[in-house]
Amino acid sequence: MKIIGTGSARPSMRVTNSMLENFLDTNDEWIVTRTGIHERRVISNENLEDMAADAANKALADAGITSDQVDFIICSNVVNEFVTPGLGCIIQGKIGATCPTVDINCACTGFLYALDIAESFLITKDMNNILIVCAEEPSRMMDWRDRSSCILFGDAAGAVVVTKGDDLKAIRLSTHCKVEALYQKRRLQPTPFLNKEEDDGGVIMNGQEVFKLAVSSSIKDIDTVLSVAGMTADDIDLYVLHQANVRIIEAIRHFVKQDKEKFPVNLDKYGNTSSASIPALLDDLSRGNMLKRGEMLLLSAFGAGFTTGAAVLRWSK
Ligand code: UT7
């Protein structure tokens, strides 16, 4: 496969750290030092469905194709206002496509899982263009009284169009069931037969455990994809990592012993946008002319599950 188009969309509302000080026992200095985040975008009057369709349309325009040329849509999403139908079905209607769609919920690692599914479908099925849309509104999952989690996240959508090609040099996905590290439960509709209590509330996260899992698993994944691709860390031009915490990115950077310039960061402006983080960053880099044809990218992400994934991808757009 190869990526031929990128797009992204973000809510208009900028929420700065100092705005959080109005209702949380926190401060800009703590948030910046511990995370690198200065502000994030949060949905106010937008719908995630519209943002997802906007990102998708931008990716199609960038790829130079129309929605009737899309053969399959993979939508990565954890939560949106619709329990059913899947967000992919709604995006299909909004962009005027007619192809089948599937939704996946692999938390922050969703883009890597979607890439691997797309690669398999391009090889095994008679398909040319696959649209991947990662659309997330983690702001609607948080308990906004919990200062250790709500400060981290922002909402966004990121999309790419992939077609047949030879750019994916290696990919590795993994899941290690560790629900208690990061989860959210919700209360479902009552029934006349229900005889148990159900939890309802915001995301529960053990930040330090997630931090350690993120660094240790990313390092392992990076080692694996580099060796599958027959490359060393020096051969990678840019490390496009999941934007969760600048300290996690720094820890990974120290492991691969590479210069800071190889690690683009936009979490200072957008926070952690779950699976939208890598495709939206790719779009920022591409539109900012910061990606050169032939460059080797290493993508790596981690999230609730615990899911992780990494890939070596040549940029040939
Ligand atoms: O996509 C995956 C999503 N999740 C993540 O990426 C999370 C990964 N983990 C992290 O990024 C970090 O663990 C956090 C940023 C969540 C927390 O940083 P930390 O350095 O691990 O801090 P900590 O949890 O050890 O807390 C240190 C102190 C505590 O106070 P005491 O017990 O030392 O008095 C916390 O209560 O900082 C306090 N604290 C805060 N203080 C001001 C926690 N949150 C805040 C806050 N403002 N927002």
Side-chain angles (χ1 to χ4, degrees):
M1 61 127 81
K2 61 177 179 181
I3 293 180
I4 55 168
T6 64
S8 61
R10 297 179 176 104
S12 56
M13 165 82 78
R14 283 175 53 218
V15 176
T16 61
N17 292 343
S18 63
M19 286 162 79
L20 300 178
E21 291 172 17
N22 293 331
F23 58 92
L24 272 180
D25 180 15
T26 189
N27 56 77
D28 180 61
E29 203 250 324
W30 191 96
I31 299 175
V32 172
T33 329
R34 302 279 178 142
T35 72
I37 299 166
H38 290 257
E39 58 184 61
R40 69 284 295 140
R41 298 291 182 92
V42 173
I43 280 182
S44 51
N45 56 359
E46 298 96 344
N47 290 319
L48 189 67
E49 305 92 84
D50 293 331
M51 271 171 46
D54 187 14
N57 279 326
K58 287 173 179 159
L60 293 179
D62 192 38
I65 65 164
T66 49
S67 58
D68 55 327
Q69 293 172 278
V70 177
D71 299 309
F72 195 62
I73 298 172
I74 304 169
C75 175
S76 164
N77 169 258
V78 177
V79 156
N80 71 90
E81 288 177 53
F82 285 88
V83 174
T84 192
L87 188 55
C89 302
I90 300 171
I91 295 168
Q92 188 233 40
K94 281 187 183 288
I95 66 173
T98 51
C99 61
T101 74
V102 68
D103 276 36
I104 59 170
N105 178 346
C106 307
C108 304
T109 319
F111 183 63
L112 272 302
Y113 275 74
L115 278 183
D116 204 17
I117 296 168
E119 167 84 343
S120 313
F121 272 33
L122 287 171
I123 291 170
T124 58
K125 297 195 181 279
D126 185 23
M127 291 186 178
N128 280 319
N129 299 311
I130 298 183
L131 172 65
I132 297 172
V133 188
C134 303
E136 306 280 11
E137 47 185 337
S139 74
R140 303 300 306 281
M141 300 166 62
M142 297 299 134
D143 177 346
W144 282 85
R145 295 163 301 184
D146 178 3
R147 65 179 183 170
S148 67
S149 58
C150 74
I151 53 126
L152 296 171
F153 294 91
D155 305 325
V160 302
V161 178
V162 299
T163 190
K164 290 186 199 298
D166 183 30
D167 283 355
L168 190 61
K169 301 303 177 192
I171 186 158
R172 170 193 154 100
L173 306 177
S174 67
T175 303
H176 305 285
C177 179
K178 261 205 177 298
V179 177
E180 68 292 343
L182 177 53
Y183 70 94
Q184 182 188 17
K185 293 184 84 174
R186 66 186 148 195
R187 192 171 296 135
L188 302 179
Q189 293 296 311
T191 78
F193 315 105
L194 198 69
N195 192 15
K196 59 171 182 169
E197 282 293 313
E198 286 180 330
D199 289 343
D200 202 21
V203 161
I204 311 278
M205 182 181 71
N206 181 334
Q208 291 193 355
E209 192 183 358
V210 172
F211 194 109
K212 284 183 209 143
L213 281 168
V215 175
S216 59
S217 53
S218 264
I219 284 172
K220 232 182 273 162
D221 289 347
I222 289 172
D223 236 5
T224 304
V225 290
L226 283 175
S227 98
V228 171
M231 292 178 180
T232 67
D234 293 348
D235 296 326
I236 300 297
D237 297 294
L238 278 186
Y239 288 80
V240 184
L241 306 186
H242 173 46
Q243 301 288 295
N245 185 323
V246 83
R247 285 161 53 217
I248 294 176
I249 294 175
E250 272 299 286
I252 296 169
R253 186 174 79 78
H254 281 295
F255 169 73
V256 291
K257 300 189 183 69
Q258 298 294 305
D259 292 342
K260 230 175 171 148
E261 291 64 42
K262 284 191 174 186
F263 290 74
V265 165
N266 67 1
L267 64 83
D268 52 328
K269 292 199 294 270
Y270 304 119
N272 178 347
T273 59
S274 189
S275 71
S277 125
I278 291 181
L281 176 57
L282 278 177
D283 185 49
D284 286 357
L285 294 170
S286 174
R287 285 171 200 270
N289 293 321
M290 290 158 82
L291 297 175
K292 291 182 200 74
R293 188 183 287 233
E295 277 187 339
M296 282 293 172
L297 312 183
L298 196 147
L299 318 181
S300 171
F302 50 84
F306 204 75
T307 61
T308 74
V312 175
L313 183 78
R314 185 176 55 195
W315 189 256
S316 64
K317 206 169 93 54

